Every structure is written in structure tokens, then in C-alpha cells.
């Protein structure tokens, strides 16, 4: 019988006389056995029968094998099968060559019945039952199974079992993979299941393996079993550079939670461009018993993904914070913990320093919002993108303090606290809601101590256990108050007047400023006599109280210290014994003293800045003040207790409507200190050049109080009457000055105008009105001001009246014109222009855009 024949194996006859003999006769068999399967069945290879050891009496077979008797006495076709069911006196056989299940009686088994077991291979003939006519198996012989040598075969994985099946597949099926091996130049393929792999390892395509061959007794299918991994395929792995040193670095692997070493010599690319956080791919090799990364190459950013983030927001509570001072034994990269309820289950999720959206300090009990991240490598869940919720302060019960931003530096600042004397340090990373802070912003914060180790890491000079502000929240304006003020108003008497001392009060020979002296108010509360200090800044209205004056006030208490003082002070009654208060007008302000023009505008009174009640910086020329006269050394009269008050009428009343022209024949004393009279004098010239009527004027008569009227200047003015004396005085005096610009140099220039001994008057270009650029020869109008410190005058409010003549182009000298006319283009001795390099314009174009024309010598375009 040929290999692959569709006919079943047939017993060959050795002679007709031996058909009923029971002698031992050899039985030839084909080299292989094949069979026809029913529709839908798979064809499987069978182990050749010639290779099987059989124990039976060959005399039972007849000569040709084509005749079978119903009573089973005749010889028939021999088949093979497997014992499927075995009972006390009978059993069933599953045929190997066809889809049939045959009954057999134990009396038909040739051998020791106790040795027959379910699953044994048997050989039999097919007969029919005398009673029912159904086919049955008779003349059973047990086939001794072939003992294959236990030899491990080397091969490799061709198709791996998919990981996502996780050992599961369709119902009734087992997920399979395939391996291959080579014999005599031919490649054979075998299937395997997860149960056939030893060591609970996952095999990948290309892995080198060793295995045994196994044959299914029912189907004859050959598969691989007891598969052992010999060598993993050298695969390209991915990861992210997590650390770089001087000559080497480390990569965090994307397949397992592990870091791997690599040397810079293994990096294929620009080493200077390699940074922590770059995505890379590499090959793993074993060197000296340790895994190292080789052939490291850059990947596009975002290629390597370690985790999957669930974008659903969850809320939870911080139960363990990340310690600011790491301990020596702390190896957990995710030391923080957040308690969250998901459905009906409570979980405790870890988190690390990089999982918070901001660097704001987290405290235990914080109410937070976050996403859940799942690591692809080990399925570890953690909280990430953590945000502090606004209502967290209701959960933590922390002590919150308030203050005002006092100073801001590069990356940090200081807060003036309501309840503490010292300013509180804070870092910008501790500001909630990423709000931009400015000086004077009102904030709320929590105070925490900073240990010495933490200071060492910060590399600053903070002392041990110094406090600083964290979790800073910006508050609306008007929320923070450093003191409380009583609603009830008190009445008292001034026992001591306040003396305000500023930088102008201090002597120029002393470097340090004196602190302002406090005033004292005495009052009674519930029959007890008490005193309170007060300051000039707490006064209401323009008048300063004097000793003995009756005042009304409120009591202010500083929250930090509990110190009380009188505020919102208003004078009720003046003490009649006090000296008379006079009104005047500031006429002159020097370095540390000044002069006051009296109410009659005819004299000036000296005062020192130390006598000013309030800030001297607020005083300006022409301000109305209140003062008291006193006599000092040499019976010299001076003003004291000078107080700025609300403005009153300037010069006088009954101002004439007509505008008059005049000439200054005497300036104010502030302009010419050598004169004895304070008032200036304006003369109205009559026809014919004779002297006319004169009118005095003071600082309040000036249109511009800072203007410095010089002797001989022409002015416009009006006439008014002083109510106290009935004197006629000039008011609204405006100078009529005109001059010519002599020159302008960058940011300043000079006018041809005589002031004192100088023939020129200085001006700055910023004093020119309308932003015009003056040229030499322009005619201008201006005001003259006196610098009190240097004693020099300068022009201000410069306004151009008319433009000067335009500069005329000076013609070329005749000798140059004659020289140019004598030169011709053909003259070899004439100077020539040789182009060395073509010029380039702003648009990178070559040559000249304007056509060149022949120029006539001596002619100016």
C-alpha cells in the first residue's frame, strides 16, 4: 500500500488452508495509515502502525481479509481505536480511522482484562451483533504504545499568544500559539497553549525555545509541550531619560518599572542635545552580569507613554503629605496618600511631588480635586493633576492669618502681618490660583515653621525654625485692618501739642532724622482720668489743636500690640488764653526755611520748617497758612505753629475789568534780596515818557507764583483793592517777555535775554510747549523761574511766537566752480570713480534705483 492511499490497510493471505488456523502468522502492514473523516472534521497525522508494538495471535486473520461473518467467526478487516469507556463486562471504542463508536464485550479481549484501561490503543475486527445486527468490535488486541525518546527539540516562537486574551478565548477553545523547528532541511510547525509553557512566562515572536513533542491519542495531532524559554529575542525597547551624569545616564524603561544604565558612547546622535525627559529607544545587552542599554537613539517627543489618565475628576482628602525633609530610609517615590470614595469602595491612592498642579504646600485634611493615572507597566493607580479646592480651609481647620504685601523681590517677598511684629517671608510658588501679587495687596495665609535642614536645601540664610507664609490667598481691598476704631466719640483737652519733624525740619549737619513727637490728650472715661497720644496725621480739618483746646476724637487700638491712640481729632473750642492766630500766604521756600506774606500783602514773615505742623512737602508758593507771631533772639519776629489751611481770597476785592500795561521798576524781595522793601512796584508810563502812577504787588498778585519778575520787564495787570487797608494793588500780573533763540544744543538751549549779570537765559527742551523743535533765530515767549537752591534763573513755559529766517545755502567758492568746469570726462588726469563692490539696498537689491544723470559742473541741484 502506497503512502497517502485512501484505502484502509488490508491483511494479506498466506494460503487458504490457513484461514481457520490459529497459528502465528506475520502480518504485513503499510508504512502509514490514513482515513477518511466525515464532513467538517480535521485531518490529523497518525503514528505509523509499523512503528507500534502489538500483542495478538496472527492466526486469527484469514487469507484475504475481504470476508466477514456476522457471528464473528470469520476473519475481517482490522482497525485501530482507543478505549473510551470500560465497565465490568463491556465497553466502547472510539475508532481512529473513522467517526464511529463501537461496542465490545470483555470476552472478546485477548489478554489480561485487568491491564486494559481507558485510553489504551487497541486493534480489533468489526462484526455484527447476532441479535440486533449492529456493528461491534471483536478480537481485541492491546497495542503497546510507542515509547518516544524524551529528546528536547530546539526551535523558536513563530506566533505568540496575544496578551490581551489573558488565557481566555471563545467558549470551548483555548488560545494557541505556534513554534517551529528544522529537521533535515525541512521546517515543521507545532501549536501550543498557555498551559504548555513552563515558568509562567510570556513568549514573544522570535524567542528561542526548547520543547517536547506530544501526540493527541484521540486525534493524533502533534503539538509542543513543556516549552522552556532559552533566549529572549533581542528587541528594541523604549523609555525616557531620567538622569544624566558626567559620562553616563539612566533611562526609565517603558516595559517594566525599572531604570537601566547607558554610557554616552552608546548614544547615536548629538550628545549636547540630549536632555532629561527625552524619549529614546535602545537595545538591552548583558554585560558583566548586568543589563545595559546600547544603541540609544532619540524618538519624537511624546512617543513613550507610561500611563493612561482617566479624565474624570475625582474629589478626595489628603491623609498623608509629602515630607518637606526626606528621611534617610524613604525610598517610596510616591509618599503622599489621598483617600477617595469611588462608587461604594474607598481607596487610598498614592501621589508624588510631580502630581500637583502647583507647588502650594499640601496639608493633611485638604479637600482636593484630581485625576487617576494608571501605569501601563504594573497597573498601579495614583492621583495626579491635584488641585486644592477653595473650600479646603473648612476641612483643615488651620489657623489663617492676614496681612499686606510689604515687599516683593525676584521670586519671593515679605508680608506685613496683622498679628505679628516681624515681617513674614513667602515664596511666589505658595500663591493660590496663580494670582499676580503687588505691593499693598491684602492677603490671607498660613504660617508654618521651616527647619534647618530645609533651609540647607534652599541654600538661604534662614535660621532654624524660622516661620514663613504658605497657601497665600489674595483678598478684596478693605478686608485687612491692622487696628480697630471705636464707634463712640470722646471729648478731651489737649495737654501737649504735636510737633511733626520731617527731613526738611532736621538740621543739615545731622544725618539722622528725629522721630515725630506725639501730642497728648486728657479725657475722662467712667470717672477715671486717662491720657492718649495722638499724631498730626490723625487731625481732621486744617487747624492744629493747641494746648488747652477742647477736642473730640475716637480711640484706635492696634491689633498686634493693643496700643491705643486718638484719631479723627476735631477741634471744638479754642483756648482763649492762646496767642492770636494770623493768616498769610507762602511767599518763599528755601532749603529749610521760608517767608510768609501777611494778610495785608505788604510784609513778609520768616518761619523755619520745624514750626510747620504737617508735611512740609505739601507746602507750595501761594498756599494759605495760619500761624502765630513770636519773638526770638534780637527781638526778631518769626512765625511759629504754621499750619496749612483752606484757601481764602488772594489779593483783594473790587478787581477792575480793564487790563493795564506797565513796567516793573522794583521786583519782589525774593528776586532781589538786597532791597529793604518786600513789595514789588509796577509803573504805568504816561504819554511823553513821563513817570506815571505806580502800583505795588506781592506774591498773591502774580499770575504765576513761580515766575521771577525782573526789573525793567513789561507786564500786563489789573488793579484791585485790599479790604483791610483800602490800598490799590496790582493783581493778575503777567509778564510780556519775548526773546530770540540764540542756540539749541541737544537737550537744552539759550535765549538772548538779560537776567541779572547774565546776558543769556538757559532753557531745557522739555519746557518748550507743543513739543516743537526750536531753531536758532526763533522768537519765543516764556516765564522766568528762580532756583532757590542755586540762585540761578531759567526759562520755562517756552512758546514759539514766530519762526526765524531759514538758513541760506552758502554758494560754492569761485575757485572750486572754476576747477569743476575745467574737468572733462575725457581728461585722463581727472579723478575717476572705480566701483569695487556693487552697493546693496535694504531690500538686498543691487545697484541704484535712481537713474544717474550727467551733472553740470558748478550747478547745485
Amino acid at each position: 500500500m502506497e503512502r497517502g492511499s485512501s484505502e484502509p490497510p488490508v491483511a494479506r493471505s498466506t494460503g487458504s488452508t490457513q484461514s481457520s488456523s490459529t497459528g502465528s502468522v506475520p502480518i504485513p502492514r503499510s508504512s502509514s495509515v490514513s482515513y477518511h473523516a466525515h464532513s467538517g472534521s480535521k485531518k490529523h497525522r497518525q503514528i505509523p502502525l509499523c512503528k507500534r508494538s502489538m500483542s495478538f495471535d496472527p492466526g486469527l486473520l484469514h487469507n484475504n481479509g475481504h470476508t466477514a461473518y456476522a457471528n464473528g467467526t470469520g476473519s475481517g478487516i482490522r482497525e485501530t481505536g482507543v478505549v473510551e469507556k470500560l465497565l465490568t463486562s463491556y465497553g466502547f471504542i472510539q475508532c481512529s480511522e473513522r467517526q464511529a463508536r463501537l461496542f465490545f464485550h470483555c470476552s472478546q479481549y485477548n489478554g489480561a482484562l485487568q491491564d486494559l484501561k481507558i485510553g489504551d490503543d487497541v486493534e480489533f475486527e468489526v462484526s455484527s451483533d447476532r441479535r440486533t445486527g449492529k456493528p461491534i468490535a471483536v478480537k481485541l488486541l492491546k497495542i503497546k504504545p510507542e515509547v518516544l525518546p524524551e529528546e528536547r527539540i530546539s526551535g523558536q516562537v513563530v506566533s505568540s499568544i496575544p496578551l490581551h486574551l489573558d488565557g481566555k478565548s471563545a467558549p470551548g477553545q483555548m488560545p494557541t500559539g505556534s513554534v517551529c523547528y528544522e529537521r533535515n532541511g525541512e521546517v515543521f510547525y507545532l501549536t501550543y497553549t498557555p498551559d504548555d509553557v513552563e515558568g509562567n512566562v510570556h513568549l514573544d515572536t522570535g524567542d528561542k525555545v526548547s520543547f517536547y513533542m506530544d501526540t493527541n491519542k484521540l486525534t493524533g495531532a502533534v503539538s509542543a509541550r513543556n516549552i522552556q524559554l532559552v533566549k529572549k529575542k533581542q528587541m528594541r525597547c523604549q523609555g525616557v531619560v531620567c538622569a544624566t551624569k558626567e559620562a553616563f545616564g539612566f533611562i526609565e524603561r517603558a516595559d517594566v518599572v525599572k531604570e537601566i544604565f547607558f554610557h554616552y558612547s552608546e548614544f547615536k546622535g548629538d550628545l549636547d542635545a540630549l536632555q532629561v525627559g527625552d524619549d529614546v529607544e535602545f537595545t538591552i545587552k548583558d554585560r558583566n552580569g548586568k543589563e545595559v542599554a546600547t544603541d540609544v537613539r532619540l524618538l519624537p517627543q511624546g512617543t513613550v507613554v507610561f500611563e493612561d489618565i482617566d479624565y474624570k475628576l475625582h474629589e478626595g482628602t489628603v491623609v498623608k503629605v509629602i515630607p518637606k525633609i526626606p528621611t534617610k530610609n524613604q525610598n517610596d517615590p510616591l509618599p503622599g496618600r489621598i483617600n477617595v470614595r469611588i462608587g461604594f469602595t474607598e481607596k487610598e491612592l498614592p501621589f508624588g511631588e510631580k502630581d500637583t498642579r502647583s507647588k502650594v504646600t499640601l496639608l493633611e485634611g485638604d479637600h482636593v480635586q484630581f485625576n487617576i493615572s494608571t501605569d501601563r507597566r504594573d497597573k498601579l493607580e495614583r492621583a495626579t493633576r491635584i488641585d486644592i479646592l477653595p473650600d479646603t480651609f473648612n476641612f483643615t481647620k488651620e489657623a489663617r492669618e492676614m496681612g499686606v504685601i510689604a515687599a516683593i523681590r525676584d521670586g519671593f517677598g515679605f508680608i506685613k502681618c496683622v498679628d505679628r511684629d516681624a515681617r513674614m517671608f513667602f515664596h511666589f510658588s505658595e500663591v493660590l490660583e496663580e494670582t499676580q501679587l503687588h505691593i499693598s495687596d491684602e492677603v490671607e495665609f498660613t504660617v508654618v515653621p521651616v527647619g534647618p535642614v530645609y533651609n540647607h536645601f534652599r541654600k538661604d540664610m534662614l535660621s532654624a525654625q524660622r516661620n514663613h507664609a504658605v497657601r497665600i490667598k489674595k483678598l478684596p481691598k478693605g478686608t485687612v485692618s491692622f487696628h480697630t476704631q471705636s464707634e463712640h466719640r470722646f471729648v478731651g483737652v489737649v495737654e501737649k501739642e504735636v510737633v511733626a519733624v520731617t527731613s526738611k525740619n532736621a538740621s543739615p549737619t545731622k544725618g539722622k532724622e528725629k522721630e515725630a513727637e506725639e501730642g497728648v490728650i486728657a479725657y475722662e472715661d467712667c470717672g477715671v482720668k486717662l491720657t492718649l497720644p495722638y499724631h498730626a496725621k490723625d487731625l481732621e480739618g486744617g487747624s492744629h489743636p493747641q494746648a488747652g483746646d477742647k477736642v473730640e476724637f475716637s480711640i484706635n487700638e492696634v491689633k498686634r500690640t493693643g496700643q491705643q491712640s486718638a484719631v479723627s481729632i476735631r477741634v471744638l473750642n479754642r483756648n482763649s488764653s492762646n496767642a492770636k492766630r494770623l493768616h498769610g500766604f507762602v511767599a518763599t521756600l528755601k532749603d529749610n526755611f521760608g517767608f510768609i506774606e501777611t494778610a495785608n500783602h505788604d510784609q513778609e514773615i520768616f518761619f523755619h520748617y520745624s514750626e510747620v505742623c504737617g508735611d512740609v512737602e505739601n507746602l507750595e508758593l501761594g498756599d494759605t497758612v495760619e500761624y502765630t507771631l513770636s519773638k526770638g533772639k534780637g527781638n526778631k519776629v518769626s512765625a511759629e505753629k504754621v499750619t496749612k489751611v483752606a484757601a481764602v481770597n488772594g489779593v483783594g476785592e473790587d478787581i477792575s475789568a480793564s487790563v493795564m500795561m506797565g513796567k516793573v521798576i522794583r521786583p519782589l524781595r525774593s528776586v532781589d534780596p538786597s532791597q529793604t522793601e518786600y513789595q514789588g512796584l509796577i509803573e504805568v508810563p504816561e504819554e511823553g515818557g513821563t513817570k506815571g502812577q505806580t502800583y505795588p504787588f506781592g506774591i498773591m498778585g502774580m499770575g504765576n507764583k513761580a515766575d521771577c519778575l525782573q526789573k525793567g520787564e513789561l507786564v500786563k495787570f489789573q488793579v484791585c483793592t485790599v479790604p483791610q487797608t483800602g490800598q490799590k494793588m496790582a493783581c493778575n500780573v503777567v509778564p510780556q517777555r519775548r526773546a530770540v533763540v540764540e542756540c539749541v544744543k541737544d537737550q537744552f538751549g539759550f535765549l538772548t535775554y538779560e537776567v541779572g549779570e547774565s546776558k543769556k537765559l538757559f532753557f531745557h527742551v522739555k519746557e518748550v510747549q507743543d513739543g516743537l523743535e526750536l531753531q536758532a533765530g526763533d522768537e519765543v515767549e516764556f516765564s522766568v523761574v528762580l532756583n532757590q537752591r542755586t540762585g540761578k534763573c531759567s526759562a520755562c513755559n517756552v512758546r514759539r511766537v514766530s519762526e526765524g529766517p531759514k538758513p541760506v545755502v552758502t554758494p560754492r567758492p569761485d575757485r572750486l566752480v572754476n576747477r569743476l568746469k575745467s574737468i572733462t570726462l575725457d581728461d585722463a588726469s581727472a579723478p575717476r570713480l572705480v566701483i569695487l563692490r556693487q552697493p546693496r539696498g535694504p531690500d538686498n537689491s543691487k545697484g541704484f534705483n535712481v537713474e544717474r544723470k550727467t551733472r553740470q559742473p558748478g550747478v547745485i541741484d
Side-chain angles (χ1 to χ4, degrees):
M1 180 178 177
E2 297 294 329
R3 180 183 295 271
S5 174
S6 60
E7 295 295 329
V10 179
R12 297 178 180 179
S13 174
T14 58
S16 58
T17 57
Q18 298 177 0
S19 60
S20 59
S21 174
T22 59
S24 177
V25 179
I27 302 175
R29 288 185 174 83
S30 62
S31 60
S32 65
V33 179
S34 64
Y35 67 94
H36 292 282
H38 290 284
S39 176
S41 65
K42 293 183 180 180
K43 186 175 182 179
H44 300 275
R45 293 183 60 191
Q46 296 290 324
I47 298 177
L49 295 178
C50 62
K51 295 183 180 181
R52 298 182 180 181
S53 298
M54 301 184 184
S55 176
F56 63 93
D57 186 0
L60 295 176
L61 298 180
H62 55 80
N63 54 356
N64 53 21
H66 291 284
T67 303
Y69 300 92
N71 57 5
T73 59
S75 298
I77 300 173
R78 301 291 290 179
E79 294 187 22
T80 60
V82 178
V83 178
E84 183 186 54
K85 188 173 182 181
L86 184 62
L87 298 178
T88 305
S89 59
Y90 65 92
F92 290 90
I93 299 172
Q94 179 67 46
C95 299
S96 299
E97 287 91 2
R98 56 194 176 99
Q99 291 291 331
R101 186 169 181 264
L102 300 179
F103 170 87
F104 75 92
H105 196 273
C106 291
S107 61
Q108 293 293 324
Y109 176 68
N110 185 15
L113 189 62
Q114 61 269 19
D115 295 335
L116 187 65
K117 297 179 182 178
I118 295 176
D120 287 346
D121 293 332
V122 294
E123 190 179 51
F124 57 90
E125 290 183 8
V126 178
S127 182
S128 58
D129 189 278
R130 296 178 182 178
R131 184 166 52 86
T132 62
K134 292 182 179 182
I136 59 174
V138 296
K139 301 181 180 179
L140 275 70
L141 295 176
K142 183 176 179 181
I143 303 174
K144 293 183 178 179
E146 178 186 13
V147 180
L148 296 177
E150 287 292 322
E151 176 188 0
R152 294 195 72 86
I153 302 174
S154 297
Q156 71 178 27
V157 179
V158 178
S159 176
S160 63
I161 299 174
L163 278 173
H164 65 274
L165 295 179
D166 292 332
K168 298 180 180 179
S169 61
Q173 295 182 4
M174 177 72 73
T176 61
S178 63
V179 296
C180 70
Y181 67 97
E182 183 181 358
R183 285 288 173 88
N184 300 325
E186 292 186 48
V187 178
F188 300 90
Y189 297 84
L190 301 175
T191 61
Y192 73 94
T193 65
D195 295 337
D196 296 325
V197 182
E198 294 182 355
N200 194 25
V201 296
H202 177 75
L203 300 179
D204 294 314
T205 301
D207 288 348
K208 301 293 183 181
V209 293
S210 67
F211 53 88
Y212 293 113
M213 293 178 59
D214 185 48
T215 305
N216 190 304
K217 294 181 179 180
L218 295 178
T219 64
V222 182
S223 62
R225 63 178 176 84
N226 300 106
I227 302 174
Q228 293 180 354
L229 176 64
V230 176
K231 184 180 180 181
K232 291 290 290 185
K233 178 186 176 182
Q234 195 174 39
M235 299 177 61
R236 296 289 288 172
C237 299
Q238 295 181 344
V240 174
V241 177
C242 60
T244 55
K245 304 298 181 181
E246 186 175 351
F248 59 91
F250 292 90
I251 300 171
E252 185 174 358
R253 293 172 57 175
D255 53 344
V256 293
V257 184
K258 188 177 180 181
E259 293 180 2
I260 188 168
F261 168 91
F262 75 99
H263 195 272
Y264 287 165
S265 60
E266 294 290 345
F267 179 72
K268 310 302 181 183
D270 185 6
L271 190 59
D272 295 333
L274 185 64
Q275 297 179 354
V276 173
D278 285 345
D279 293 353
V280 293
E281 67 172 359
F282 54 92
T283 302
I284 299 177
K285 288 188 178 181
D286 193 345
R287 290 180 180 173
N288 298 327
K290 293 183 179 179
E291 289 185 338
V292 297
T294 61
D295 191 19
V296 182
R297 299 177 186 270
L298 280 176
L299 292 174
Q301 200 68 19
T303 303
V304 181
V305 180
F306 290 102
E307 57 194 14
D308 297 312
I309 298 178
D310 179 10
Y311 287 94
K312 180 181 178 181
L313 289 174
H314 301 269
E315 293 184 6
T317 304
V318 178
V319 295
K320 182 181 178 182
V321 298
I322 301 173
K324 290 290 185 183
I325 305 173
T327 59
K328 294 181 179 179
N329 298 326
Q330 180 180 329
N331 296 321
D332 188 0
L334 305 173
R337 295 292 184 271
I338 293 177
N339 193 11
V340 59
R341 175 180 286 274
I342 301 177
F344 298 98
T345 307
E346 283 194 2
K347 287 186 176 181
E348 194 173 89
L349 299 177
F351 68 92
E353 290 184 357
K354 297 181 180 179
D355 291 320
T356 56
R357 285 187 180 270
S358 66
K359 298 300 180 183
V360 177
T361 301
L362 285 177
L363 298 180
E364 291 185 5
D366 267 338
H367 191 203
V368 294
Q369 181 177 265
F370 58 91
N371 300 106
I372 295 179
S373 170
T374 305
D375 197 309
R376 291 183 176 182
R377 299 167 293 180
D378 58 358
K379 308 302 180 184
L380 175 67
E381 290 184 338
R382 80 174 198 278
T384 188
R385 299 181 180 179
I386 302 169
D387 274 327
I388 299 177
L389 292 174
D391 62 348
T392 187
F393 303 114
N394 300 329
F395 293 85
T396 57
K397 305 298 182 181
E398 60 194 282
R400 301 287 285 172
E401 299 186 18
M402 291 189 291
V404 175
I405 303 297
I408 290 179
R409 301 290 184 268
D410 186 14
F412 63 95
F414 294 90
I415 300 173
K416 181 181 178 183
C417 304
V418 171
D419 301 320
R420 299 172 184 261
D421 291 331
R423 290 186 175 185
M424 192 64 61
F425 171 88
F426 74 94
H427 198 274
F428 284 172
S429 61
E430 291 290 347
V431 180
L432 293 169
E433 302 172 359
E434 298 181 358
T435 308
Q436 186 69 29
L437 293 182
H438 302 88
I439 294 177
S440 301
D441 281 349
E442 300 176 11
V443 293
E444 183 185 58
F445 55 93
T446 302
V447 178
V448 297
V450 183
V453 177
Y454 184 59
N455 295 334
H456 173 71
F457 289 143
R458 289 172 49 90
K459 297 182 180 180
D460 56 20
M461 299 304 294
L462 297 177
S463 60
Q465 298 302 322
R466 177 175 177 178
N467 295 332
H468 71 163
V470 298
R471 303 157 67 87
I472 300 167
K473 180 181 179 182
K474 187 176 180 180
L475 299 176
K477 285 288 185 183
T479 305
V480 178
S481 176
F482 288 87
H483 53 264
T484 56
Q485 184 171 324
S486 65
E487 297 181 359
H488 177 67
R489 299 283 288 176
F490 297 86
V491 176
V493 177
V494 176
E495 284 190 352
K496 180 184 177 183
E497 300 177 28
V498 67
V499 178
V501 180
T502 63
S503 58
K504 290 188 176 182
N505 302 113
S507 172
T509 60
K510 296 181 179 179
K512 296 183 179 180
E513 298 181 6
K514 296 181 180 179
E515 295 182 358
E517 296 183 11
E518 297 177 341
V520 179
I521 297 176
Y523 72 104
E524 288 188 2
D525 186 15
C526 299
V528 180
K529 185 176 180 180
L530 303 171
T531 59
L532 280 178
Y534 74 95
H535 302 86
K537 63 182 179 64
D538 297 320
L539 298 174
E540 289 185 352
S543 60
H544 280 240
Q546 301 178 20
D549 288 349
K550 190 175 182 181
V551 293
E552 184 183 43
F553 60 93
S554 298
I555 297 178
N556 176 76
E557 182 176 342
V558 179
K559 291 182 178 180
R560 184 177 66 254
T561 61
Q563 184 179 1
Q564 293 182 341
S565 61
V567 296
S568 304
I569 304 167
R570 183 167 56 90
V571 178
L572 296 178
N573 294 316
R574 291 285 186 183
N575 187 3
S576 58
S577 61
N578 289 340
K580 184 179 179 181
R581 301 286 287 176
L582 303 176
H583 283 83
F585 310 94
V586 178
T588 307
L589 293 172
K590 300 290 185 179
D591 284 341
N592 55 5
F593 65 92
F595 289 92
I596 299 173
E597 183 182 278
T598 61
N600 294 336
H601 312 288
D602 56 352
Q603 293 182 2
E604 62 179 356
I605 306 297
F606 170 88
F607 73 96
H608 195 272
Y609 287 166
S610 61
E611 295 294 338
V612 177
C613 298
D615 191 357
V616 181
E617 300 289 346
N618 295 330
L619 283 183
E620 295 180 359
L621 293 177
D623 283 348
T624 305
V625 294
E626 189 180 56
Y627 62 95
T628 302
L629 290 177
S630 65
K631 290 185 179 182
K633 295 181 180 180
N635 288 330
K636 291 183 178 181
V637 178
S638 64
E640 62 180 15
K641 301 176 183 177
V642 180
T643 306
K644 183 178 177 179
V645 296
V648 298
N649 292 335
V651 180
E653 301 174 351
D654 191 20
I655 300 175
S656 64
S658 61
V659 178
M660 305 176 69
M661 293 291 296
K663 181 180 180 181
V664 178
I665 60 175
R666 187 178 69 202
L668 290 174
R669 190 180 178 191
S670 59
V671 178
D672 185 6
S674 61
Q675 66 187 33
T676 57
E677 297 84 358
Y678 161 70
Q679 290 179 321
L681 202 59
I682 299 174
E683 181 184 48
V684 180
E686 294 182 354
E687 294 181 1
T690 59
K691 293 183 178 182
Q693 190 175 359
T694 59
Y695 297 94
F697 68 92
I699 189 66
M700 299 305 294
M702 299 284 294
N704 180 6
K705 305 297 186 295
D707 206 339
C708 185
L709 286 178
Q710 303 291 323
K711 182 179 180 180
E713 288 188 316
L714 297 178
V715 294
K716 289 181 180 181
F717 66 95
Q718 293 172 287
V719 178
C720 65
T721 304
V722 179
Q724 294 88 337
T725 62
Q727 183 184 15
K728 299 289 185 179
M729 294 187 67
C731 65
N732 300 330
V733 181
V734 178
Q736 301 297 302
R737 300 190 186 97
R738 287 198 177 187
V740 176
V741 178
E742 183 180 87
C743 63
V744 178
K745 298 179 180 180
D746 195 16
Q747 297 296 317
F748 62 92
F750 291 93
L751 306 177
T752 55
Y753 187 79
E754 184 177 350
V755 179
E757 298 179 357
S758 177
K759 303 294 183 181
K760 300 178 183 179
L761 184 62
F762 171 87
F763 74 93
H764 199 278
V765 294
K766 68 180 181 181
E767 294 291 346
V768 180
Q769 296 182 357
D770 302 327
L772 299 176
E773 292 186 5
L774 297 181
Q775 304 291 335
D778 291 348
E779 187 177 13
V780 295
E781 289 182 348
F782 55 92
S783 299
V784 178
V785 293
L786 176 64
N787 190 319
Q788 300 288 350
R789 186 163 50 181
T790 62
K792 295 182 179 180
C793 294
S794 63
C796 66
N797 300 327
V798 181
R799 183 175 64 86
R800 186 169 67 184
V801 178
S802 62
E803 295 186 21
K806 296 293 183 181
V808 179
V809 179
T810 305
R812 290 183 175 180
D814 293 338
R815 58 181 179 78
L816 182 57
V817 174
N818 295 333
R819 169 66 177 160
L820 291 174
K821 286 182 178 180
S822 64
I823 297 176
T824 62
L825 296 177
D826 298 332
D827 189 357
S829 63
R832 294 183 178 277
L833 177 67
V834 179
I835 299 176
L836 299 178
R837 178 179 57 84
Q838 283 287 348
R840 292 181 181 270
D843 58 350
N844 208 27
S845 61
K846 295 182 179 180
F848 297 95
N849 293 329
V850 181
E851 182 182 357
R852 302 189 68 178
K853 299 178 181 179
T854 304
R855 186 175 179 277
Q856 297 296 329
V859 179
I860 301 175
D861 294 336

